[in-house]
Amino acid sequence: LLKFSTFQDLEEYLPPGHDGVVNRLLVGTARGDGEDASIWHGKLEPGGGSEVHIHPDSVQVYVGIAGEMVVGDDDEEHILDPLATAVFPAGARHFIENRSDRDAEVLVISVPALR
């Protein structure tokens, strides 16, 4: 069956270990969509970002939507701007950070689902 929701209907989630970041779950187990994947919309205010962290069992794909942010691991950093993509294998240490002076938006796809 088709499941439909508007962005405004999605609950805001403030992820632990992230500062100045508001996420909304688009697809995931918490919405009853199964455990195959989760898709989050993230909004990072200027200066917002995550601590370096690991998802031991999930691949994470970041797709830039608006603005720009930095994505990185222990070895390198890259600018994630609209439609740029970064892939972190399961167990990879990584972070995101908005070093610009305007909001940035990203889609985060996790396989299998994180939540």
Side-chain angles (χ1 to χ4, degrees), residues 6 18 20 25 33 49 61 67 87 92 101 104 111:
T6 65
H18 293 63
L25 183 62
D33 300 320
V61 179
V87 180
D101 60 357
V111 178

Short mmCIF file of all heavy atoms in Angstrom, two decimals, residues 6 18 20 25 33 49 61 67 87 92 101 104 111:
data_model
loop_
_atom_site.label_atom_id
_atom_site.label_comp_id
_atom_site.label_asym_id
_atom_site.label_seq_id
_atom_site.Cartn_x
_atom_site.Cartn_y
_atom_site.Cartn_z
N THR A 6 3.53 14.52 4.10
CA THR A 6 4.16 15.76 3.70
C THR A 6 5.33 16.03 4.64
O THR A 6 5.36 15.55 5.78
CB THR A 6 3.18 16.95 3.75
OG1 THR A 6 2.78 17.16 5.10
CG2 THR A 6 1.97 16.68 2.87
N HIS A 18 25.19 15.34 17.70
CA HIS A 18 25.10 16.33 16.63
C HIS A 18 24.66 17.65 17.26
O HIS A 18 23.80 17.67 18.14
CB HIS A 18 24.06 15.91 15.59
CG HIS A 18 24.42 14.70 14.80
ND1 HIS A 18 24.58 13.47 15.37
CD2 HIS A 18 24.63 14.52 13.48
CE1 HIS A 18 24.88 12.58 14.43
NE2 HIS A 18 24.91 13.19 13.28
N GLY A 20 23.28 21.62 16.29
CA GLY A 20 22.78 22.45 15.21
C GLY A 20 22.26 21.66 14.03
O GLY A 20 22.30 22.12 12.89
N LEU A 25 12.79 11.85 9.61
CA LEU A 25 12.83 10.51 9.03
C LEU A 25 11.81 10.42 7.89
O LEU A 25 10.61 10.56 8.11
CB LEU A 25 12.54 9.46 10.10
CG LEU A 25 12.62 8.01 9.67
CD1 LEU A 25 14.02 7.64 9.20
CD2 LEU A 25 12.18 7.09 10.82
N ASP A 33 8.46 1.05 7.84
CA ASP A 33 8.87 0.80 6.45
C ASP A 33 9.83 -0.38 6.30
O ASP A 33 10.41 -0.56 5.25
CB ASP A 33 9.53 2.05 5.87
CG ASP A 33 8.60 3.25 5.88
OD1 ASP A 33 7.40 3.07 5.58
OD2 ASP A 33 9.06 4.35 6.19
N GLY A 49 26.90 20.38 13.07
CA GLY A 49 27.54 19.19 12.56
C GLY A 49 27.51 18.06 13.56
O GLY A 49 26.82 18.12 14.58
N VAL A 61 25.09 6.87 2.96
CA VAL A 61 25.24 7.66 1.74
C VAL A 61 24.69 9.04 2.04
O VAL A 61 23.54 9.18 2.47
CB VAL A 61 24.47 7.03 0.56
CG1 VAL A 61 24.62 7.88 -0.69
CG2 VAL A 61 24.92 5.59 0.33
N GLY A 67 22.92 24.30 -0.12
CA GLY A 67 24.06 24.82 0.61
C GLY A 67 25.27 23.92 0.43
O GLY A 67 25.36 23.16 -0.53
N VAL A 87 29.98 8.35 0.30
CA VAL A 87 29.59 7.02 0.79
C VAL A 87 30.59 6.57 1.85
O VAL A 87 31.79 6.54 1.60
CB VAL A 87 29.55 5.98 -0.36
CG1 VAL A 87 29.15 4.61 0.17
CG2 VAL A 87 28.61 6.44 -1.47
N ALA A 92 32.97 2.77 9.20
CA ALA A 92 33.90 3.87 8.90
C ALA A 92 33.65 5.05 9.82
O ALA A 92 32.51 5.48 10.00
CB ALA A 92 33.75 4.30 7.44
N ASP A 101 28.09 30.09 6.04
CA ASP A 101 27.29 31.06 6.80
C ASP A 101 25.79 30.95 6.49
O ASP A 101 25.02 31.85 6.79
CB ASP A 101 27.79 32.48 6.55
CG ASP A 101 27.72 32.88 5.09
OD1 ASP A 101 27.34 32.04 4.23
OD2 ASP A 101 28.04 34.04 4.78
N ALA A 104 22.48 24.33 5.45
CA ALA A 104 22.77 23.29 4.45
C ALA A 104 21.79 22.14 4.68
O ALA A 104 21.34 21.91 5.80
CB ALA A 104 24.20 22.81 4.59
N VAL A 111 21.87 1.81 4.98
CA VAL A 111 21.51 0.45 4.61
C VAL A 111 22.35 -0.51 5.45
O VAL A 111 23.57 -0.46 5.35
CB VAL A 111 21.75 0.20 3.12
CG1 VAL A 111 21.41 -1.23 2.74
CG2 VAL A 111 20.97 1.19 2.25
#
